Each structure stands twice: as structure tokens, then as C-alpha cells.
Amino acid sequence: MSRGPALGTPALSEPLIPERHRVLRAVQDRLEDVANTAVAVMRTEIPSYALQDERFFDDVREQVLTHYRIQMAALAGDRDIAPEDLVFSRAAAMRRARAGFALEDWISAFRVGRQVLWDALLDCAGTSAEAQQAALSLVTPLMRYVDYASTHAAQAYVEYQQHVVADADRERRDLLDQLLAGAAPARGPLLAAAQAYGIGPHSPMMAVVAVCVGDTRTGDLTSAEHGYATSASISVAGPWAGRTLVVVRHGEVVAVPVVRTGMDAEDVCAHFEAVQRRLAREGTMLSMGISTVAHGARELPRAYEEARAALDLVPSAGGVAALPRLSPFDYLALRADDLARQLVDPRVRALLEEDRRRGDTLATTIRAFAEADLNLRQAADRLRVHHNTAHYRLRRIEERTGRNPRRIADLLELLVALAIREGAGEGEDRQ
């Protein structure tokens, strides 16, 4: 059977042995007062304890007394401590963890208990040299006990937290699975979980899908660390008050933010873009796809597929593709295949490629002319050039391509070619 630490004290000279027993007996006689002092100090020094009621402190007092009695018996009899001696402490640790106390608070309680007991030992020892030396001989075994007992307590905390985390993960996955089936929970624990995230049958929601595409720290893209780091970052409240459902599943992170009152889709997009940039600065490169708004759980499966499709628009180095920010024209151009690119007139393609190498002057002019509703003077103002310069550029485009930007059909063809060119550039990055 596994044993705990031996608490036997170092060998003492004959005159010191009676002194040590005297000190231990004196502390034993006042052990309840020592325990009461320890509880009072905990109440003062540990903020989370100070908020509790008398029933809580009765439990703490019983725990402290039990620890003290075990220590005193071990010190007096030079016996070892067995794991089964601390079953009571593990149970108490579970109760504290279940009540929401932080592990550091529990460890602080151990520290206070040790210090108060040590003060009592010194007080009972007196001032004689023999008594002080006898008391000092107890330091090492006391420290061994506290280390052993606090380690057991910490293990109990970790076991409980792992249990809670596993349950919470399972609940989130079950909730997401039901939502992606197009239905909001109507009863039971999943309904309570959905309400905690602000999700109802008709809540406006969006879907966000993120995958790790690079890690400057480890280079391991399969590590679960990426998923949980991303999950934790996304879960932090953005421009809204409330929690966001985030689940790590099948190599991706799925988030379902609710578009709350006073928000719009752009707020959600901006928040997730900020998360992506922050993680990139920390070394984790993500690709994120963001859907349009789903008006209720029934539309969420469609939103999820949109978010996954949006991932195809993100360059290989990572970034964010937010569908609410794209016009149908932008989306179709970004999704253009090789056949669409082949349908672009070679003269137009050649001009745009040459223009790209020279700084995109003509491409900028095409866009400005379209944005000015074919008003050349207004386009020139936007470009901050003389209108004769803008006129020359349009004439040059017509000469090189056979397309007159002043004609709607020709201008539209130029804009499509330009958008396909840009989409093709990003598509090469995605290879």
C-alpha cells in the first residue's frame, strides 16, 4: 500500500526529548483554541472565505481540527501518514471546488493553518534554549505533512475541474449538434445551456468556423492547444454582454454568436477579426469563415455551410472571410473558377496584368469611374488628378482592350475581369 511521508523528527539528545513531548502535549491541550484562531485568520486573510456563513466556518473548523489531530499524533508517535488518512481532506477539497472556490484559496487556507500551528508550538515551547531547539526539530515534519496534504487537495481540485470541463464540453457539443440539425432545445439541460448563451428558437445568430493554418511557436497544426486557445479567445465577450457558444470539433472551432439588441452583423465580424489578429500576433494563424445572419435555429445549418464555404476564400496564410461584408458581385468573382478566368478577353487580361506590375493606375481609375457613376470629373477628383489625366487613362483602356468604360456593358466587363484577377491572386495563395 502506498504510504505518505515519514514525519519522524530528527534524532534528539536525551535532554531535548522530554522538551519536545512537553511542547506537543501543551499544544494538544489547547488544540481547539488553536483551530479557532486559524479559522479567524482565514476569515480575515482570504477574501472569498470572509463572505461565507457560519455553517461554512463550522465545516472549516472541523477540517482544521482533524488536520491538527493527525499531525500531533504523527509527531508524538513518529508514525507515517497514509493516503487513507486524508480521505476527509479530499472530500472537503471537492466541496470547495464544487462551491466555486479557487484552488489558491484552498492552498492559502493550508498556509494559514500551518502558520498558526507553528506559532502555537513556539508559544508553548517558551524561551529556554532546549525548548526552542526541540520546537525547531518539528519544522521539517510539519512541512512534509503540509506538502503532502496540500498535494492531495490539489489533486482533488484538478479531478473535479476535469470532470466539470468534460461535462461542459459534452454539453456544448450536444447543444451545437442540435442547433446544426436546425432545432433549438425545448426542454432539459440543453434548454438551460442555450438560454445561458442567449440562444432561443428565433434568435438571430451567425456561424463562425475557424481552423489553424500556421503556428510560429511549435509548427504542430494538429495540436489540440490551437483549438482550445482559439475557443478561449472567442469566448471572451466582444462588443456585447454575454457568452458565446464555442465548440472544438472535427479539427475546427465553431462559434455561434447571437446578434443581440443594438448590434448588427458588422459588430460580430469586427470582433472575430480582432480575435484572429490577436492570435496571429501570438503566433497562431487562423482562417475564419463568417456566415450571414440566420434568423432562428432553423436557418443555422445554412449559416454553418456558409461559414465553411467562406473558408475557401481565405488565403493560405490565414485571415477572415466575412460574407456580410461581400456583395454578390464580390462573392461570385472570388469564387470564379478557371473557366471564368479563361472567358476574360486576353486583351483585357494582358492590360490588367501589365497594370498591376506598374502600380494598378488603370485599375484604380476603372473603380473610381464606376463609383462616380460614370462622372469623369468626379472620378478625377477622387483620384486627385486633373480630369484630362483621367480622360487619357480611359482612352488608353479603350485603345488597349476594345472596351469603352463609358458604356455600361463594357465597364461591367472590365470590373468583372478586375475582380476575377484579384480573386485569382488570392486563389493562388490558397493553393
Side-chain angles (χ1 to χ4, degrees):
M1 179 184 296
S2 174
R3 306 298 297 174
L7 298 190
T9 54
L12 297 177
S13 60
E14 193 63 32
L16 295 182
I17 294 176
E19 279 298 309
R20 187 180 68 190
H21 288 308
R22 180 188 66 79
V23 171
L24 291 174
R25 284 195 303 272
V27 174
Q28 183 69 51
D29 290 342
R30 53 189 283 193
L31 205 58
E32 290 197 10
D33 291 337
V34 177
N36 288 336
T37 300
V39 172
V41 175
M42 292 175 194
R43 200 170 199 160
T44 301
E45 294 190 1
I46 306 175
S48 62
Y49 276 35
L51 302 173
Q52 307 308 310
D53 57 20
E54 289 306 318
R55 183 177 177 181
F56 170 81
F57 286 109
D58 288 342
D59 183 33
V60 173
R61 187 176 295 104
E62 184 61 33
Q63 295 300 312
V64 172
L65 258 178
T66 306
H67 277 294
Y68 282 172
R69 285 167 181 157
I70 292 174
Q71 290 177 82
M72 299 305 293
L75 292 172
D78 293 339
R79 74 176 182 86
D80 294 347
I81 300 296
E84 55 266 28
D85 293 327
L86 294 174
V87 170
F88 78 97
S89 182
R90 291 177 63 86
M94 285 285 191
R95 290 198 297 276
R96 302 293 181 266
R98 192 177 298 113
F101 287 92
L103 177 58
E104 53 264 33
D105 291 341
W106 179 249
I107 298 302
S108 292
F110 268 98
R111 176 188 57 78
V112 169
R114 177 202 64 202
Q115 185 61 52
V116 171
L117 180 60
W118 176 242
D119 290 342
L121 287 167
L122 289 180
D123 185 56
C124 290
T127 57
S128 71
E130 292 83 1
Q132 291 287 311
Q133 191 171 347
L136 288 174
S137 71
L138 299 171
V139 172
T140 297
L142 282 176
M143 292 299 297
R144 285 175 180 166
Y145 178 85
V146 171
D147 286 346
Y148 187 63
S150 60
T151 297
H152 270 257
Q155 288 173 344
Y157 260 81
V158 170
E159 288 169 8
Y160 178 80
Q161 289 169 347
Q162 288 175 337
H163 172 74
V164 169
V165 168
D167 277 355
D169 279 348
R170 190 178 306 110
E171 183 178 71
R172 285 194 296 270
R173 285 195 299 271
D174 290 347
L175 175 57
L176 180 64
D177 287 344
Q178 183 160 341
L179 291 171
L180 293 183
R187 63 177 66 87
L190 289 187
L191 173 59
Q195 291 174 339
Y197 294 111
I199 297 173
H202 306 294
S203 300
M205 296 171 279
M206 297 168 69
V208 180
V209 177
V211 295
C212 183
V213 295
D215 184 353
T216 60
R217 298 167 301 175
T218 68
D220 180 10
L221 304 187
T222 64
S223 171
E225 175 188 350
H226 301 299
Y228 287 104
T230 303
S231 173
S233 294
I234 292 174
S235 297
V236 175
W240 55 87
R243 300 162 61 197
T244 298
L245 174 63
V246 186
V247 178
V248 181
R249 66 195 291 273
H250 308 317
E252 63 186 20
V253 177
V254 182
V256 183
V258 174
V259 184
R260 301 174 189 270
T261 302
M263 296 171 52
D264 58 24
E266 175 55 30
D267 294 321
V268 176
C269 295
H271 170 62
F272 283 93
E273 188 173 54
V275 169
Q276 194 274 342
R277 288 176 177 171
R278 182 171 70 252
L279 288 174
R281 289 195 297 270
E282 295 170 0
T284 299
M285 307 302 299
L286 297 175
S287 288
M288 280 189 180
I290 304 177
S291 75
T292 60
V293 177
H295 297 282
R298 182 171 297 187
E299 294 186 8
L300 196 62
R302 181 264 303 162
Y304 173 70
E305 293 303 326
E306 286 182 0
R308 295 199 67 186
L311 284 176
D312 292 337
L313 308 180
V314 182
S316 59
V320 177
L323 295 186
R325 293 175 169 177
L326 299 179
S327 68
F329 179 90
D330 295 329
Y331 178 77
L332 290 173
L334 288 171
R335 298 285 292 181
D337 56 15
D338 289 339
L339 177 57
R341 286 186 279 275
Q342 288 300 319
L343 292 175
V344 175
D345 188 304
R347 293 176 295 173
V348 174
R349 188 163 59 241
L351 175 69
L352 294 180
E353 290 304 320
E354 178 185 324
D355 183 53
R356 171 184 276 171
R357 293 191 294 270
R358 295 184 175 183
D360 267 346
T361 300
L362 299 182
T364 303
T365 301
I366 292 171
R367 291 197 192 92
F369 190 54
E371 291 169 1
D373 295 328
L374 282 64
N375 186 316
L376 183 59
R377 189 172 295 277
Q378 194 175 99
D381 290 342
R382 291 188 181 189
L383 294 169
R384 296 184 179 181
V385 298
H386 193 275
H387 72 278
N388 287 338
T389 301
H391 178 75
Y392 166 76
R393 291 178 182 176
L394 294 184
R395 189 172 66 249
R396 185 181 174 199
I397 291 169
E398 183 178 2
E399 291 172 351
R400 292 283 305 274
T401 66
R403 270 68 178 178
N404 181 358
R406 294 180 176 83
R407 294 182 63 244
I408 295 296
D410 286 356
L411 177 60
L412 183 60
E413 185 176 346
L414 291 169
L415 289 170
V416 169
L418 183 56
I420 289 177
R421 184 201 70 172
E422 292 172 349
E426 293 182 357
E428 289 168 6
D429 290 338
R430 292 193 292 271
Q431 299 302 313

